[in-house]
């Protein structure tokens, strides 16, 4: 699968780079649009130009998938067919990007500013020495990741927006409390960033790790990890600021979400009239599922974005759980329901994969791991995720299109669970 990256490259005076009179572009193997390292590398390979990505300004999906990047020129000789043009002579896409760049927004993340690269480089040099080398890896409204080379050590810098301000402290806290299953943290600036040691290994999302026994083992280990967190919960919450989103939090918000017409209309796949009727009809089943979970209310640290890419098997055969941006104190079963939402696509050649993985996870919970409670969690987990986007995430994002489809996607998962349990 291939796609095309289109590059709006700006000089320091906001001149726009053209190749043969057009914005430069490269067609190559598909990568996630947030993965700016691939885009930066493609531009350098094709045209010899060094850049830093400011942000992705547009994604166009279809037979001709295209991602448009707003970039800052950082050096390199221009090819003979390249030229800088004045901003007012640039393409409409470039002019729109420039108009955005000179505005301000209360929720703009620091790494969407042109001077950020120099600032964070100086910060890392002050912290680890001037020999520290930084390479941009990933950038979007939810986070930015840079690879650090600190003398002979590779590490990763992750920057977080205010809505995930708990992640640096939480990551450091978990690394100390659970070093066998959480990556080591080298440094952290509370509320802003942390530097994580390179743990090596391969995530379960990789084709080489699509092995059901490894996935079963990972879910068993994750259940045991969750069970170890309640004993430390008061100190964990106090030290890290991780939010509490228990069943009371859900009950106070879900009805308002399902009646929010503006929210249901968001994204490129808004909730249809038929689906809205299904949401109304699902209300009694939602209420019953919440009550079912209350019968033996469990509360642990939850990951919140628990999918195969967040689980890593290291070279020394440890299983690590990474990326705690969406973490909260909530019902533990929500994570596994999220994890299994697309299991038929993740493990298409494994008959009964979902049942095996559910059983592997629930077996660690003893009498508390009933199939009835898990069935209730399958309904409430996607509703919980939709609520987080409605209440905590989308209102705090300047570029809401980056994530707004997650809300209706999860509402559809909830409707699917309701239908399957009819």
């Amino acid at each position: 699968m291939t796609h095309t990256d289109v590059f709006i490259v700006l000089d320091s005076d906001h001149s726009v780079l053209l190749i043969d009179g057009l914005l430069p572009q490269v067609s190559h193997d598909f990568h996630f649009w947030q993965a700016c390292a691939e885009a930066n590398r493609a531009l350098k390979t094709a045209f010899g130009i060094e850049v830093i990505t400011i942000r992705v300004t547009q994604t166009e999906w279809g037979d001709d998938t295209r991602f448009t990047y707003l970039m800052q020129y950082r050096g390199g000789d221009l090819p003979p067919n390249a030229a800088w043009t004045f901003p007012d002579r640039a393409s409409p896409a470039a002019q729109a990007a420039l108009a955005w760049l000179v505005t301000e927004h209360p929720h703009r993340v620091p790494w969407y500013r042109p001077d950020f690269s120099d600032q964070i480089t100086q910060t890392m040099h002050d912290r680890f020495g001037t020999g520290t080398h930084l390479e941009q890896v990933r950038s979007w409204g939810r986070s930015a990741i840079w690879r650090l080379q600190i003398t002979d050590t590779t590490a990763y810098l992750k920057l977080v927006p205010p809505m995930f301000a708990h992640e640096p402290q939480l990551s450091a806290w978990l690394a100390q409390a659970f070093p066998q299953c959480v990556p080591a943290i080298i440094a952290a600036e509370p509320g802003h960033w942390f530097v994580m040691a390179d743990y090596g290994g391969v995530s379960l999302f990789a084709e080489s790790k699509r092995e059901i026994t490894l996935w079963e083992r990972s879910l068993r280990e994750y259940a045991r990890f969750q069970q170890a967190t309640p004993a430390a919960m008061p100190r964990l919450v106090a030290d890290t600021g991780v939010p509490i989103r228990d069943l009371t939090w859900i009950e106070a918000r879900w009805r308002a979400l399902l009646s929010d017409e503006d929210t249901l209309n968001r994204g490129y796949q808004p909730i249809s009239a038929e689906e809205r009727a299904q949401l109304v009809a699902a209300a009694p089943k939602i209420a019953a599922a919440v009550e079912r979970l209350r019968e033996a209310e469990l509360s642990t640290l939850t990951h919140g974005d628990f999918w195969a890419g967040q689980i890593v098997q290291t070279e020394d055969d440890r299983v690590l759980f990474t990326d705690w941006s969406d973490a909260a104190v909530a019902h533990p079963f929500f994570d596994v329901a999220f994890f299994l939402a697309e299991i038929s696509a993740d493990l298409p050649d494994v008959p009964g994969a979902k049942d095996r993985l559910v059983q592997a996870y629930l077996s660690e919970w003893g009498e508390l791991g009933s199939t009835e409670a898990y069935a209730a969690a399958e309904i409430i987990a996607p509703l919980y995720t939709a609520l987080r986007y409605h209440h905590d995430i989308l209102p705090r994002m300047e570029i809401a299109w980056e994530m707004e489809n997650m809300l209706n996607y999860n509402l559809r998962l909830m409707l699917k669970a309701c239908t399957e349990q009819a």
Side-chain angles (χ1 to χ4, degrees):
M1 181 178 178
T2 62
H3 76 286
T4 300
D5 288 337
V6 180
F7 307 108
I8 303 170
V9 182
L10 305 181
D11 203 354
S12 57
D13 63 356
H14 288 181
S15 296
V16 179
L17 181 67
L18 301 180
I19 304 290
D20 292 327
L22 301 172
L23 294 176
Q25 61 182 33
V26 175
S27 295
H28 56 144
D29 289 342
F30 181 82
H31 63 80
F32 292 120
W33 60 264
Q34 305 94 325
C36 51
E38 282 82 353
N40 296 352
R41 196 176 301 120
L43 190 61
K44 182 178 181 180
T45 299
F47 304 109
I49 300 167
E50 297 278 357
V51 294
I52 293 293
T53 293
I54 299 174
R55 61 169 279 241
V56 174
T57 63
Q58 188 176 17
T59 59
E60 303 169 80
W61 300 90
D63 294 337
D64 181 24
T65 295
R66 302 166 73 85
F67 304 152
T68 302
Y69 292 82
L70 176 61
M71 295 173 147
Q72 186 178 44
Y73 174 71
R74 305 292 286 184
D77 295 333
L78 300 184
N81 56 340
W84 296 103
T85 188
F86 293 113
D88 58 356
R89 299 179 184 174
S91 69
Q95 291 191 34
L98 283 164
W100 169 84
L101 190 64
V102 299
T103 63
E104 292 293 332
H105 192 281
H107 296 309
R108 183 160 300 174
V109 290
W111 50 92
Y112 278 3
R113 302 181 186 278
D115 58 354
F116 177 77
S117 174
D118 292 336
Q119 291 176 357
I120 197 61
T121 298
Q122 186 61 54
T123 298
M124 293 298 106
H125 285 177
D126 291 344
R127 191 67 175 256
F128 300 110
T130 56
T132 301
H133 175 73
L134 285 77
E135 179 188 7
Q136 191 179 33
V137 174
R138 188 178 180 95
S139 182
W140 58 329
R142 285 179 55 104
S143 67
I145 297 176
W146 294 66
R147 184 180 293 108
L148 304 184
Q149 194 65 40
I150 309 170
T151 60
D152 295 329
T153 301
T154 301
Y156 289 87
L157 165 69
K158 183 174 183 180
L159 303 115
V160 299
M163 62 187 170
F164 298 139
H166 59 273
E167 188 178 5
Q169 299 97 305
L170 178 61
S171 297
W173 196 98
L174 291 175
Q176 287 191 335
F178 302 99
Q180 284 300 112
C181 54
V182 177
I185 302 301
I186 297 172
E189 180 65 29
H192 299 286
W193 55 261
F194 60 98
V195 176
M196 179 173 57
D198 183 3
Y199 44 76
V202 181
S203 82
L204 268 59
F205 186 66
E207 288 295 333
S208 62
K209 299 298 179 181
R210 303 293 177 97
E211 168 54 52
I212 185 68
T213 56
L214 174 59
W215 288 42
E216 289 173 319
R217 171 195 163 191
S218 299
L219 292 190
R220 290 191 187 99
E221 292 191 17
Y222 187 64
R224 293 194 289 271
F225 161 80
Q226 288 180 307
Q227 291 164 11
T229 62
M233 199 60 70
R235 185 162 54 90
L236 173 62
V237 173
D239 289 351
T240 69
V242 64
I244 298 174
R245 300 195 186 104
D246 54 15
L247 295 176
T248 299
W249 184 89
I250 295 171
E251 284 186 309
R253 291 166 174 81
W254 71 265
R255 291 176 179 84
L257 168 59
L258 299 192
S259 61
D260 187 337
E261 293 291 326
D262 290 340
T263 293
L264 300 181
N265 278 323
R266 294 183 72 157
Y268 65 83
Q269 289 185 323
I271 297 294
S272 68
E274 179 182 357
E275 289 170 325
R276 293 179 197 211
Q278 293 172 357
L279 290 175
V280 172
K285 186 162 285 189
I286 294 169
V290 171
E291 288 307 309
R292 178 65 187 84
L293 293 175
R294 277 203 182 280
E295 291 176 9
E297 186 164 356
L298 299 174
S299 185
T300 71
L301 183 68
T302 59
H303 186 281
D305 188 24
F306 195 62
W307 65 288
Q310 313 285 34
I311 305 174
V312 174
Q313 184 183 31
T314 65
E315 294 175 358
D316 60 355
D317 199 33
R318 288 183 298 149
V319 173
L320 298 182
F321 308 113
T322 70
D323 190 358
W324 294 90
S325 298
D326 295 86
V329 178
H331 197 291
F333 293 3
F334 292 169
D335 276 341
V336 175
F338 186 98
F339 182 85
L340 297 176
E342 296 188 358
I343 192 61
S344 60
D346 292 335
L347 298 176
D349 299 324
V350 182
K354 179 180 176 181
D355 291 341
R356 285 183 60 174
L357 292 169
V358 169
Q359 179 56 35
Y361 177 75
L362 294 181
S363 67
E364 296 294 328
W365 289 93
E367 294 182 356
L368 296 174
S370 71
T371 55
E372 293 80 9
Y374 180 77
E378 281 197 318
I379 292 173
I380 303 303
L383 176 61
Y384 166 76
T385 302
L387 285 169
R388 290 194 299 106
Y389 276 91
H390 184 238
H391 186 266
D392 293 328
I393 297 178
L394 293 178
R396 302 180 190 181
M397 291 188 71
E398 177 191 9
I399 315 297
W401 67 257
E402 293 183 351
M403 293 302 301
E404 65 185 352
N405 292 305
M406 285 294 293
L407 197 153
N408 288 341
Y409 166 76
N410 278 281
L411 289 180
R412 291 187 172 99
L413 286 180
M414 183 194 69
L415 288 176
K416 180 174 178 285
C418 288
T419 299
E420 290 176 346
Q421 296 183 31

